[in-house]
Amino acid sequence: MEGSIDYEQAGLRVGLEVHQQLLTDQKMFCRCPAGLYTKSHDGVMLRHMRPTLSELGEYDGTALMEFKTKKNIVYLLHKSNVCTYEMDDTPPFIVNRRAIDIAIEHCLMLGCDVVDEVHIARKQYLDGSIPTGFQRTAIVGVNGRLPFRDRELTIIQVSVEEDSCREIQDRGHLAVWRTDRLGMPLIEAVTGPELKTPEEVEEAILLIGRVCRSTGHVRVGMGASRQDVNVSVRGGRRVEIKGVPTAGQARQLVHSEAIRQIELLRLRDELHHRGFRQPSDIGMEHIDITTLVADFRVEALQRDTWERFVEAEQMRPGMELAEGPFSVRAIRLPGLAGTVGRACQPGRTFAHELAGRIRVIATLDQQPILVHSDDWPDYPGGTEELAEIRQAACCGPDDALVVVWGVESDTVTAAKEIQLRYADTTEGIPHETRQALPDGCTDFERILPGPDRMYPDTDSPAQLVTRERVQNLLVKLPDPPWRREPRYSAAGVSTETIHFLIRRGGARLVDRVVEETGFDLRRACLFFGEELKGLRRSDLAVDKITESRWCALFEQMRQLPVLWEARRQLVEGLVDEPKLSVEELIAKDHLGEEPSGWQTKVNEALSAATARGLEENKLFDTVMGQAMSVLRGRVPAVRVVHVIHELQARKNDNG
Amino acid sequence: MAETTDPLKGYRGRARQRLQELGVRVWSEVRILNDQGSTFEGVILPRSETADDLHVVVKLATGYNVGLHIDRIREVEELGFKEAVYKIPEQAFPHSPDLPKVTLLGTGGTIASRLDYRTGAVIPAFTPGELYGAVPELADLCNLTTRKIFGVFSENMGWEEYATLAQAIGDEIQAGVDGIVIGHGTDTMGHTAAVLSFMVQNSPVPIVVVGSQRSSDRPSSDAALNLIHAVRSAAYGDIAEVQICMFGPTSDQYGLLHRGTRCRKMHSSYRSTFRTVGDIPLCRVSASDFGPLTHEYLPRNPHRRVKIDPVYDDRVTILYYYPGMKPDVVDALVDQGYKGIVIAGTGLGHVNKPVFPALERAIAKGVHVVMTVQTLWGYAQMYVYDTGRDLLDIGVVPLDNMLPETALMKLGWVLGHTHDQDEVQEMMRHSYSHEITEREPHNGYLILQGGLPETEEFVLSQWK
């Protein structure tokens, strides 16, 4: 089901959770350097995660799910960017104060009320992304607002937290993580579920990005900011799409998710219509059919297809692979014929929902992960083979059949997950975290963790935030985008350049230069927002120039406007001669000084060029070029032009 | 965890007063409005004793905790009240007639726990039913009984506790248990294991001391695996001695069983902190097998009669020698009534000359002075240098390669029997449980230095 849908009618509601890495020297809870990524490792560690029961004797849904997967978790360590804290062998050091300050700056820019005491909590994650099994996180501000289009978006909270490991591999029962990123400080800004269309989502993501950049204290580059998007439709339930890479991709993802939820609600209604009203109404039986299908032609179910897969993927029993024999399992779903093949996301069916669970929880990931009766593979003899399997599984005409394969224990887990997924559907849309796929669809990642999995981090003392500390940060706060952008616009700067300046941090430098020197804002924007790009591209090390030298340069250019015309030369000088002051650079080439008798020299050049017999139009260009190579930055070009034209006219008059 | 009936648990001073004015208490479910119009909905939590009296802690519905300054609170509405009851619903530990009987003695610390997510509290799980819920694998290993002997942080353990524990062990052995596990904080686990090695001798069954380096409420905790290893060792292991069971490497790979007299906590926080000093560990243990590293141990024998000897004299101390130490330190100890001084001396068991007269005085007054080495590894060989020989002449008793902490425990135990100089000396120098070994194999001291190419290569080839 492609194409457009009426989002308003569907009751689409989207909220954002924007994660942004903060620009600090050290990590959040230890003194390792932040932002030092490495590709190699000098130590390896093996761990497993166990869920903790709640006092009611229940497991949090996510925790239980992760425990079922029985993952071997391997961490790659590099001594330059992790210490025993990241290894979960040392308690946390006192939280990075600068990280809290930058978080407060974000709170202020987003109009939040900053809390009086920051209490650090533990948010449990059992997928192995954090060796302790939980992320340390704390609320810094609440009750904010973001001016957006003709209204305001609610900012529910801004929290500060530590970043997780980077996933290197997740195959079968083995997950491998790199620890370099672990522990880097992040803020998370959470909006209310108030965005109404995919376009609004994209716009809001970009706007929040500009807000973060406006503080000037965030990291830029790949992975420095990530967003999770929470999507629900009327009658549906909040689903979190995790790790949306760019604002542009958010549009398609939100669209696909809206469709998925609408289709799942329709499937729910169909299930109710068929008499499956609650989870316990879903039945399931499974049998082993390994021997039955041994000679069948459907390739996916063949033992040697599996063995080739295991060998190609280098899966080892006890590590990636569970122990036990290969098994093909037929799963009968009474009364559910036709539901497996129902459309779900654009280009996908409900079978994909089942496959997602099987892949993650049963860790069976050999494509196509399952085959089913609503859409049995098309090959000669296929119909007969399907019929045989259905008979062996005692399937009646109203029953659906799903077949999975792999290590025996995993196939049994898969059968149970299929039943659970259908059981969830009788209630509507399961609470899930889904991962973004490149084609704009999503796939299951984990059961959405509840607030229940948070508890205080007793290792960390609470941090006091006085109103004085907040005030000190407030007075130094740069303009948020909605104040800066109109200001720049009014000066005649294009939106594209404004956004570039804010995204790349140049806006802060522009504001400083303009504030300190009184230089013209529009020109400063064009210089830092456009010209500098070109200079950088021609390999000029302009980023080495300090802010105070830029200010000194612009101060000189303000005082002596003609210097502006020699700015390229001056910038080169700033790069090549870091020991010279701006005044010395100017004096060295006599810039700003009009040489005496220059009109005469121009006249001589004109005569010489005329004598060479150059045509009229080429004449001007040649002489102008010659003149400016000497006079640039010393005599305004417009005056040279005027003089040349005058001399030309006189010559013509004289014949 | 002392239960208090104070409805404003932990709040004092101005914060207490404000809460009283507002008519709310700890566990009240509230909606709070502050001076900037922000609303906070959640549960009022107890205040930590070491925190100030200006803030109120609220656990929000989102799961986060925040601290609100009392001066910023404008309005509070109580939406409900639900007392936190820290009791876990019990599930019976399954009983299998064929499985060995293991008793877990609790001394404090939390080998397993549950979380009250509403308040964020960590509730210890200790009864067999509670442990079964947290570590269901135990039911496949044994029939478990638990007894809480006392509940103290391990740094608060003392001589009275050791004697009580030894007695409890005796009772369990009498009752016919197949193995004993002792849950213990890791700070002083080495001390307890050492003293129990003397107070409990000739055991017919394994006695395994276990704890966890990372609290058991964490998903990454070593608690469950340590407990599984310890229970296996108690139920099926062959080593009928007091032993410590903790992680081998920091990875979830295997545990190690260390003899109680030679095991020491060597890092303040690493999972792999416990090491056998001056010898090799007894055995490697995993969830599925044992890998004995030596045959020199007392094997399991149900017919052996255990000897419980829980006597002590607590007037013993360790003196950690340092250059420039003045004799008055020794004098002060003697004058305060100490009867046994373990010196952790430098080198081969040395102290400086100025201290000698103080030692002579001590010994003349009937104080027993024994020598161990600060370096932990190696022997006190006091006949090698003049200093040592002089100390021997004075009457300082060399303890060869006994660890300082083990020596302290042993001296306290020995002095519970006798104060006769010769008898004390004989008992101290007699090795009951490998606390002194005659030989140190070349692999008894293996401290690899990081940074060297060969070490880095080795480390990278193993799970850390």
Side-chain angles (χ1 to χ4, degrees):
Chain A
M1 183 215 183
E2 312 273 350
S4 61
I5 55 177
D6 186 335
Y7 298 111
E8 172 125 17
Q9 206 202 22
L12 180 68
R13 288 278 168 275
V14 182
L16 295 178
E17 289 169 24
V18 178
H19 297 88
Q20 171 66 58
Q21 284 180 338
L22 306 182
L23 193 61
T24 57
D25 291 333
Q26 295 180 339
K27 290 187 173 180
M28 185 86 176
F29 290 102
C30 71
R31 282 81 72 119
C32 289
L36 187 62
Y37 291 98
T38 44
K39 292 201 179 90
S40 62
H41 57 276
D42 40 43
V44 207
M45 197 167 78
L46 172 70
R47 292 274 169 80
H48 303 96
M49 298 287 170
R50 296 181 68 103
T52 319
L53 291 175
S54 77
E55 83 285 10
L56 298 176
E58 289 155 3
Y59 286 111
D60 166 75
T62 324
L64 183 62
M65 183 209 93
E66 298 287 3
F67 189 48
K68 280 196 261 186
T69 66
K70 295 195 199 316
K71 275 231 164 39
N72 295 306
I73 303 166
V74 171
Y75 295 102
L76 306 177
L77 314 166
H78 196 288
K79 58 180 177 285
S80 67
N81 50 36
V82 296
C83 64
T84 49
Y85 168 71
E86 277 77 20
M87 293 170 66
D88 186 37
D89 271 318
T90 288
F93 296 92
I94 300 289
V95 68
N96 187 325
R97 197 189 159 83
R98 182 96 185 96
I100 306 274
D101 279 349
I102 300 175
I104 294 172
E105 288 173 356
H106 280 83
C107 288
L108 292 171
M109 208 173 269
L110 291 169
C112 291
D113 180 4
V114 180
V115 302
D116 304 302
E117 248 185 4
V118 171
H119 285 248
I120 296 161
R122 298 177 183 172
K123 199 195 267 188
Q124 289 201 346
Y125 284 101
L126 273 75
D127 59 354
S129 57
I130 307 204
T132 46
F134 57 79
Q135 179 191 41
R136 290 187 163 88
T137 172
I139 286 193
V140 181
V142 296
N143 192 21
R145 88 281 166 285
L146 179 67
F148 180 75
R149 294 195 174 181
D150 55 345
R151 57 194 205 265
E152 280 187 342
L153 291 181
T154 312
I155 302 292
I156 296 176
Q157 66 184 51
V158 173
S159 55
V160 73
E161 53 193 35
E162 49 182 354
D163 210 341
S164 60
C165 294
R166 295 194 287 150
E167 188 182 293
I168 299 298
Q169 173 193 299
D170 188 357
R171 300 301 320 282
H173 290 272
L174 176 68
V176 181
W177 301 87
R178 199 178 291 286
T179 52
D180 49 9
R181 189 181 73 182
L182 176 64
M184 286 175 64
L186 297 173
I187 54 119
E188 184 195 48
V190 182
T191 75
E194 296 157 13
L195 297 164
K196 300 188 195 134
T197 66
E199 287 72 28
E200 285 201 348
V201 173
E202 181 183 7
E203 211 179 295
I205 290 174
L206 290 170
L207 175 58
I208 295 179
R210 291 203 301 283
V211 169
C212 296
R213 298 294 176 97
S214 295
T215 62
H217 295 145
V218 297
R219 290 193 176 271
V220 299
M222 275 298 294
S225 74
R226 283 157 260 158
Q227 28 279 330
D228 302 334
V229 179
N230 292 300
V231 183
S232 70
V233 298
R234 186 175 300 108
R237 221 163 163 194
R238 179 171 78 94
V239 167
E240 182 189 40
I241 303 174
K242 200 145 187 76
V244 172
T246 66
Q249 280 163 290
R251 282 172 64 168
Q252 183 60 47
L253 289 163
V254 169
H255 173 76
S256 300
E257 180 57 21
I259 288 176
R260 190 186 75 101
Q261 293 200 14
I262 290 168
E263 289 301 332
L264 286 177
L265 290 173
R266 289 196 183 137
L267 178 56
R268 176 200 60 188
D269 295 341
E270 172 65 19
L271 291 181
H272 288 185
H273 179 70
R274 293 192 191 193
F276 302 101
R277 293 189 178 282
Q278 36 190 8
S280 51
D281 293 335
I282 302 289
M284 182 275 295
E285 279 159 27
H286 60 89
I287 60 160
D288 183 299
I289 53 166
T290 319
T291 350
L292 174 68
V293 302
D295 291 326
F296 278 24
R297 266 165 286 182
V298 49
E299 213 184 304
L301 307 181
Q302 293 313 306
R303 179 191 297 274
D304 52 343
T305 314
W306 165 257
E307 282 172 356
R308 264 179 280 132
F309 169 72
V310 166
E311 199 188 309
E313 299 290 329
Q314 298 175 317
M315 296 175 75
R316 302 157 287 179
M319 286 305 282
E320 293 87 350
L321 214 51
E323 309 259 15
F326 173 72
S327 162
V328 182
R329 190 157 304 276
I331 296 142
R332 177 171 89 91
L333 300 160
L336 292 174
T339 60
V340 188
R342 271 181 77 105
C344 207
Q345 293 186 80
R348 286 157 196 257
T349 66
F350 189 68
H352 286 93
E353 293 289 303
L354 301 176
R357 292 289 183 101
I358 293 169
R359 176 182 56 81
V360 174
I361 300 176
T363 73
L364 296 171
D365 50 14
Q366 183 193 9
Q367 294 295 332
I369 300 180
L370 58 84
V371 288
H372 64 94
S373 52
D374 290 353
D375 191 9
W376 194 255
D378 184 20
Y379 59 93
T383 325
E384 288 81 14
E385 290 185 351
L386 172 59
E388 267 196 69
I389 298 176
R390 285 187 70 100
Q391 190 184 34
C394 305
C395 283
D398 294 332
D399 301 341
L401 170 83
V402 179
V403 182
V404 296
W405 61 91
V407 174
E408 187 175 32
S409 53
D410 290 341
T411 61
V412 174
T413 307
K416 294 185 186 145
E417 285 305 317
I418 290 173
Q419 181 180 21
L420 285 171
R421 183 63 188 84
Y422 267 102
D424 285 344
T425 307
T426 63
E427 294 182 319
I429 293 159
H431 245 339
E432 288 177 345
T433 297
R434 298 181 68 82
Q435 49 179 273
L437 297 174
D439 67 353
C441 285
T442 60
D443 199 359
F444 177 73
E445 185 165 303
R446 69 172 81 97
I447 307 286
L448 188 68
D452 291 352
R453 77 201 202 289
M454 286 191 64
Y455 62 109
D457 180 34
T458 43
D459 295 343
S460 301
Q463 297 297 306
L464 190 61
V465 179
T466 59
R467 297 305 93 185
E468 192 187 324
R469 179 176 178 184
V470 173
Q471 190 57 28
N472 287 342
L473 292 166
L474 181 60
V475 300
K476 286 184 274 181
L477 200 66
D479 275 346
W482 45 90
R483 276 211 284 277
R484 187 184 257 143
E485 287 169 23
R487 187 159 51 86
Y488 285 17
S489 257
V493 184
S494 75
T495 309
E496 198 189 316
T497 306
I498 297 173
H499 285 183
F500 176 81
L501 283 168
I502 292 180
R503 273 200 339 270
R504 292 276 167 235
R508 217 174 47 79
L509 180 53
V510 163
D511 282 351
R512 180 176 166 184
V513 160
V514 168
E515 192 184 311
E516 282 189 26
T517 70
F519 196 87
D520 170 57
L521 174 61
R522 182 172 162 276
R523 272 209 184 158
C525 285
L526 290 176
F527 178 80
F528 286 106
E530 289 176 24
E531 285 187 46
L532 211 56
K533 269 194 264 188
L535 292 175
R536 209 180 270 123
R537 248 179 265 136
S538 59
D539 278 335
L540 199 54
V542 293
D543 297 313
K544 289 208 169 120
I545 301 171
T546 65
E547 287 194 1
S548 45
R549 268 160 79 74
W550 280 122
C551 288
L553 175 64
F554 275 79
E555 172 61 28
Q556 292 298 316
M557 293 195 294
R558 183 192 60 80
Q559 286 179 18
L560 275 171
V562 68
L563 291 176
W564 172 251
E565 297 179 19
R567 58 193 180 280
R568 166 129 204 173
Q569 184 183 340
L570 284 166
V571 171
E572 283 170 6
L574 283 176
V575 173
D576 294 335
E577 311 260 19
K579 295 226 163 69
L580 291 181
S581 71
V582 171
E583 288 92 334
E584 284 167 341
L585 271 176
I586 291 168
K588 187 166 74 81
D589 292 330
H590 302 284
L591 296 174
E593 277 172 41
E594 198 173 300
S596 58
W598 64 272
Q599 290 96 325
T600 319
K601 295 255 166 60
V602 170
N603 197 23
E604 285 166 14
L606 181 59
S607 306
T610 316
R612 289 213 305 278
L614 280 174
E615 298 142 24
E616 191 69 28
N617 49 356
K618 280 227 169 93
L619 206 57
F620 172 83
D621 288 341
T622 310
V623 175
M624 185 67 183
Q626 286 173 346
M628 290 312 291
S629 70
V630 176
L631 297 175
R632 186 170 292 115
R634 305 182 69 179
V635 180
V638 71
R639 271 183 66 197
V640 177
V641 166
H642 181 77
V643 162
I644 296 176
H645 279 146
E646 223 178 74
L647 287 169
Q648 271 182 307
R650 234 184 275 158
K651 278 201 162 52
N652 291 345
D653 284 347
N654 292 347
Chain B
M1 211 186 347
E3 284 302 305
T4 166
T5 50
D6 177 12
L8 291 168
K9 203 189 296 210
Y11 288 97
R12 47 193 173 80
R14 288 190 55 201
R16 187 183 185 89
Q17 200 183 356
R18 190 85 177 102
L19 287 175
Q20 281 167 332
E21 279 167 24
L22 293 163
V24 287
R25 344 151 235 183
V26 169
W27 312 133
S28 289
E29 287 163 9
V30 291
R31 185 182 294 129
I32 296 179
L33 186 69
N34 78 356
D35 60 1
Q36 269 201 242
S38 303
T39 341
F40 300 88
E41 254 187 60
V43 180
I44 297 182
L45 296 187
R47 185 79 171 147
S48 158
E49 278 165 20
T50 50
D52 69 25
D53 71 331
L54 298 172
H55 296 84
V56 173
V57 186
V58 179
K59 184 166 173 85
L60 304 178
T62 51
Y64 286 92
N65 286 6
V66 292
L68 305 175
H69 199 288
I70 47 170
D71 291 343
R72 293 190 62 200
I73 297 176
R74 285 288 161 269
E75 274 170 42
V76 177
E77 195 191 325
E78 192 178 48
L79 306 169
F81 177 81
K82 193 170 145 197
E83 178 90 47
V85 174
Y86 295 131
K87 186 118 182 56
I88 304 171
E90 290 252 353
Q91 247 184 332
F93 193 101
H95 181 89
S96 322
D98 316 323
L99 293 181
K101 291 186 299 231
V102 172
T103 298
L104 171 63
L105 300 176
T107 63
T110 317
I111 192 66
S113 56
R114 291 211 188 171
L115 284 169
D116 177 0
Y117 286 112
R118 192 178 75 95
T119 60
V122 174
I123 316 167
F126 184 70
T127 67
E130 291 168 349
L131 281 174
Y132 173 57
V135 190
E137 292 95 325
L138 298 178
D140 299 328
L141 294 173
C142 69
N143 291 307
L144 188 69
T145 317
T146 61
R147 264 178 70 192
K148 185 171 173 183
I149 310 297
F150 30 75
V152 295
F153 287 126
S154 73
E155 61 269 23
N156 293 330
M157 292 278 284
W159 286 102
E160 216 180 289
E161 282 78 19
Y162 300 141
T164 309
L165 196 48
Q167 204 64 62
I169 292 170
D171 296 341
E172 289 303 318
I173 291 175
Q174 182 97 336
V177 76
D178 294 308
I180 295 172
V181 176
I182 302 172
H184 199 289
T186 56
D187 271 23
T188 64
M189 198 186 283
H191 300 72
T192 300
V195 75
L196 289 178
S197 300
F198 308 120
M199 290 184 168
V200 177
Q201 294 181 39
N202 274 5
S203 173
V205 297
I207 300 165
V208 187
V209 187
V210 72
S212 65
Q213 283 291 103
R214 303 257 79 66
S215 60
S216 53
D217 53 282
R218 302 164 197 239
S220 62
S221 175
D222 51 333
L225 206 51
N226 281 340
L227 190 55
I228 291 167
H229 291 162
V231 167
R232 280 201 70 233
S233 304
Y236 301 100
D238 191 39
I239 303 170
E241 293 189 28
V242 176
Q243 59 215 266
I244 284 178
C245 176
M246 291 289 283
F247 263 32
T250 183
S251 291
D252 284 358
Q253 234 197 328
Y254 57 84
L256 286 174
L257 300 175
H258 303 275
R259 219 184 295 269
T261 54
R262 299 211 71 86
C263 183
R264 196 172 185 279
K265 186 171 183 178
M266 299 303 290
H267 188 282
S268 67
S269 56
Y270 246 112
R271 284 167 173 69
S272 51
T273 177
F274 281 92
R275 294 290 149 204
T276 292
V277 178
D279 205 340
I280 60 173
L282 287 165
C283 185
R284 202 178 31 78
V285 55
S286 72
S288 52
D289 73 351
F290 292 106
L293 300 171
T294 173
H295 298 295
E296 284 177 40
Y297 58 82
L298 199 63
R300 180 193 287 273
N301 181 349
H303 305 296
R304 192 181 298 125
R305 295 200 104 88
V306 70
K307 183 167 167 227
I308 304 293
D309 193 3
V311 301
Y312 62 89
D313 186 330
D314 67 357
R315 295 170 296 177
V316 290
T317 182
I318 297 184
L319 194 58
Y320 195 94
Y321 173 72
Y322 48 87
M325 179 188 274
K326 300 201 205 76
D328 56 10
V329 175
V330 179
D331 290 335
L333 289 169
V334 172
D335 295 341
Q336 284 299 310
Y338 281 87
K339 293 297 172 211
I341 300 174
V342 175
I343 303 180
T346 50
L348 295 165
H350 300 146
V351 299
N352 64 6
K353 268 207 154 55
V355 171
F356 287 14
L359 294 177
E360 276 177 299
R361 176 177 174 263
I363 290 168
K365 280 180 172 272
V367 176
H368 305 272
V369 182
V370 298
M371 181 66 79
T372 61
V373 294
Q374 265 178 34
T375 55
L376 305 177
W377 278 272
Y379 288 81
Q381 286 175 291
M382 295 162 71
Y383 48 82
V384 174
Y385 290 105
D386 284 341
T387 311
R389 291 180 201 149
D390 291 340
L391 286 166
L392 288 173
D393 285 343
I394 287 171
V396 174
V397 179
L399 292 184
D400 294 4
N401 66 350
M402 197 184 306
L403 291 174
E405 290 86 4
T406 303
L408 177 70
M409 295 291 109
K410 188 174 182 187
L411 187 57
W413 174 73
V414 164
L415 291 181
H417 295 88
T418 174
H419 278 251
D420 174 78
Q421 200 182 42
D422 291 331
E423 281 170 15
V424 169
Q425 175 159 330
E426 206 199 302
M427 285 183 83
M428 285 308 288
R429 285 194 54 81
H430 175 260
S431 187
Y432 293 86
S433 185
H434 294 247
E435 67 271 24
I436 290 178
T437 61
E438 290 189 328
R439 304 171 55 242
E440 180 187 358
H442 73 84
N443 58 0
Y445 170 73
L446 279 181
I447 300 185
L448 304 179
Q449 293 279 205
L452 298 167
E454 60 268 27
T455 321
E456 298 297 320
E457 196 186 307
F458 169 68
V459 166
L460 186 54
S461 70
Q462 307 290 315
W463 297 120
K464 269 201 62 65

